[in-house]
């Protein structure tokens, strides 16, 4: 029995596509909206192939409220999962107005249409960047947010505030904010994975593109951080584990469980790995050497951060289950699939 219809914005993207698969397999109908500015329509076909289910897809920019409104009239949505946003830290420093316009206007449009059409549940794709450079580690959901290091991070902080204010103002509106740490990997089928346009902004696709020979060498941004090996430390979370957290959040909303109209959960592994540790772990997991060079720090990056995930475990019944080696091998299989390498 179908559990309801979910609007997934940015659903052709890396996290959105994996979440769409998990939602369909959990019994939901999915309608995907994506402007394809950083994704490809072939991903929609891959989702359908993995799930053996046709997917409703609309090429729509979420800053276009009129086009979105037509979809709210056409489909009776039970909830929205909002991924659609620009997400490159460095690019946001170089072009802040583009980030503020796109990331905030798209969310405001979604919330206004949800209220207008009485769609009362939203799961929002937030980020560990809201914590800025934390004073204590690991960070919990109660850790104070600090000034973000980039306009991208600021749009996530502002978006959280907009959603909280909306949940207070409009009776019945419920929100779950999932603060992701560093998603990586690919679907076990090898049919979907991270597909950056141009030079990757995330570490793992840069590693796999270097390993397969597309890049001459991997650039490691900063070797003088106050960490054991001088490189930055992050909490790397498998994208399928992350996608499943959205399904669990949706189930929480369907069941009416929840301690407030707007809840926040960290979605990570609870373990910190340095950039250099991850590179060496990739080499061990795949048997492939990755040439790299340490370069200057990148604007907007924090030194180290990882999550306390006990709240998600206790309230959502969710925790990460996939090993780093398993996820790195999936990312490598995806890269080879893309390049036609055996």
């Amino acid at each position: 029995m179908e559990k309801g219809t979910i609007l997934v914005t940015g659903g052709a993207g890396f996290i959105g596509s994996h979440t769409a698969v998990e939602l369909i397999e959990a019994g939901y109908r999915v309608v995907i909206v994506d402007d394809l500015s950083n994704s490809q329509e072939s991903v929609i076909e891959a989702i359908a192939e993995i799930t053996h289910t046709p997917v409703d897809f609309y090429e729509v920019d979420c800053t276009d409220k009129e086009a979105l409104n037509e979809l709210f009239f056409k489909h009776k949505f039970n909830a929205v999962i909002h991924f659609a946003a620009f997400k490159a830290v460095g690019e946001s420093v170089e072009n802040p107005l583009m980030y503020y316009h796109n990331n905030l206007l798209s969310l405001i449009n979604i919330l206004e249409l949800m209220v207008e059409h009485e769609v009362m549940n939203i799961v929002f794709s937030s980020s560990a960047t809201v914590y800025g450079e934390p004073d204590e580690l690991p960070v919990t959901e109660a850790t104070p947010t600090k000034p973000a290091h980039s306009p991208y991070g600021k749009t996530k902080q502002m978006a959280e505030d907009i959603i909280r204010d909306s949940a207070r103002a409009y009776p019945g509106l419920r929100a779950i904010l999932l603060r992701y740490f560093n998603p990586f990997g690919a679907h076990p089928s090898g049919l979907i994975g991270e597909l950056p346009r141009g030079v990757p902004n995330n570490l793992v696709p840069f590693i796999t593109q270097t390993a397969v020979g597309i890049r001459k060498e991997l650039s490691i941004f900063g070797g003088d951080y106050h960490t054991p090996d001088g490189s930055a430390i992050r909490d790397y979370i498998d994208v399928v584990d992350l996608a499943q957290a959205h399904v669990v959040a949706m189930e929480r909303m369907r069941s009416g469980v929840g301690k407030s109209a707007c809840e926040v959960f960290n979605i990570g592994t609870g373990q910190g790995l340095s950039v250099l540790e991850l590179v060496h772990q990739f080499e061990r997991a795949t048997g492939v050497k990755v040439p790299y060079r340490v370069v200057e720090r990148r604007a907007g990056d924090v030194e180290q951060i990882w999550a306390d995930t006990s709240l998600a475990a206790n309230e959502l019944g969710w925790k990460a289950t996939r090993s780093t080696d398993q996820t790195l091998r999936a990312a490598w299989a995806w890269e080879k699939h893309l390049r036609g390498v055996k």
Side-chain angles (χ1 to χ4, degrees):
M1 180 177 151
E2 199 174 82
K3 295 179 177 178
T5 302
I6 314 299
L7 172 62
V8 180
T9 71
F14 177 42
I15 303 169
S17 59
H18 288 79
T19 300
V21 167
E22 298 302 316
L23 286 167
I24 293 166
E25 293 185 341
Y28 291 93
R29 182 185 177 197
V30 167
V31 176
I32 290 177
V33 163
D34 200 298
D35 68 356
L36 303 180
S37 62
N38 195 32
S39 56
Q40 295 183 11
E41 194 167 351
S42 59
V43 172
I44 306 299
E45 297 165 15
I47 294 169
E49 185 176 344
I50 293 167
T51 61
H52 308 290
T53 304
V55 179
D56 289 306
F57 168 67
Y58 299 90
E59 186 177 346
V60 169
D61 185 332
C62 287
T63 62
D64 183 346
K65 188 177 179 182
E66 190 175 323
L68 276 179
N69 192 32
E70 290 178 15
L71 296 185
F72 274 81
F73 275 114
K74 186 170 185 176
H75 297 276
K76 177 60 180 170
F77 298 123
N78 299 96
V80 176
I81 302 183
H82 186 51
F83 294 105
F86 295 150
K87 63 182 181 62
V89 168
E91 183 182 58
S92 77
V93 173
E94 296 165 4
N95 199 344
L97 291 180
M98 180 175 80
Y99 271 67
Y100 289 124
H101 178 268
N102 183 76
N103 292 6
L104 298 179
L105 181 57
S106 62
L107 173 64
I108 291 166
N109 284 345
I110 287 290
L111 288 169
E112 287 178 345
L113 290 169
M114 286 177 64
V115 171
E116 186 178 326
H117 292 268
E118 299 182 344
V119 179
M120 305 313 283
N121 294 318
I122 183 169
V123 176
F124 177 66
S125 165
S126 192
S127 167
T129 57
V130 302
Y131 295 115
E133 190 79 66
D135 294 323
E136 294 183 5
L137 290 165
V139 292
T140 73
E141 291 80 357
T143 297
T145 58
K146 297 175 73 174
H149 282 211
S150 68
Y152 164 72
K154 289 174 187 173
T155 66
K156 291 299 184 184
Q157 290 178 332
M158 292 176 187
E160 285 197 2
D161 287 340
I162 290 167
I163 293 170
R164 274 194 205 90
D165 290 342
S166 300
R168 277 193 289 264
Y170 303 106
L173 185 64
R174 287 200 57 201
I176 292 181
L177 314 178
L178 298 182
R179 290 176 178 166
Y180 312 156
F181 281 69
N182 283 62
F184 72 131
H187 193 267
S189 67
L191 294 174
I192 56 173
E194 194 162 3
L195 194 60
R197 290 182 184 268
V199 179
N201 287 292
N202 294 339
L203 175 60
V204 171
F206 215 134
I207 291 174
T208 57
Q209 287 190 13
T210 305
V212 86
I214 291 173
R215 309 279 163 202
K216 180 183 174 184
E217 61 185 6
L218 168 69
S219 296
I220 292 177
F221 297 104
D224 57 351
Y225 286 111
H226 299 295
T227 61
D229 63 18
S231 65
I233 292 175
R234 295 291 183 269
D235 185 334
Y236 295 95
I237 171 77
D238 184 285
V239 68
V240 178
D241 280 336
L242 175 60
Q244 289 171 347
H246 296 77
V247 178
V248 175
M250 199 54 61
E251 296 289 343
R252 185 174 178 85
M253 288 180 155
R254 283 184 73 238
S255 65
V257 175
K259 297 184 176 177
S260 69
C262 185
E263 297 183 292
V264 180
F265 297 99
N266 285 339
I267 304 297
T269 65
Q271 302 291 321
L273 271 178
S274 77
V275 172
L276 281 171
E277 284 175 321
L278 195 72
V279 171
H280 297 320
Q281 197 158 342
F282 175 87
E283 291 178 330
R284 288 193 299 271
T286 64
V288 180
K289 290 293 289 181
V290 179
Y292 67 83
R293 183 166 57 96
V294 177
V295 298
E296 289 185 2
R297 296 184 186 189
R298 185 171 56 180
D301 281 347
V302 301
E303 180 172 276
Q304 52 186 324
I305 189 167
W306 65 90
D308 180 323
T309 60
S310 54
L311 187 65
N314 295 335
E315 291 293 325
L316 296 177
W318 173 91
K319 64 178 182 179
T321 62
R322 289 162 176 80
S323 71
T324 304
D325 279 0
Q326 181 182 0
T327 308
L328 287 169
R329 283 192 289 267
W332 179 229
W334 163 244
E335 186 69 55
K336 289 192 292 183
H337 165 76
L338 281 178
R339 313 302 167 191
V341 176
K342 297 295 184 187

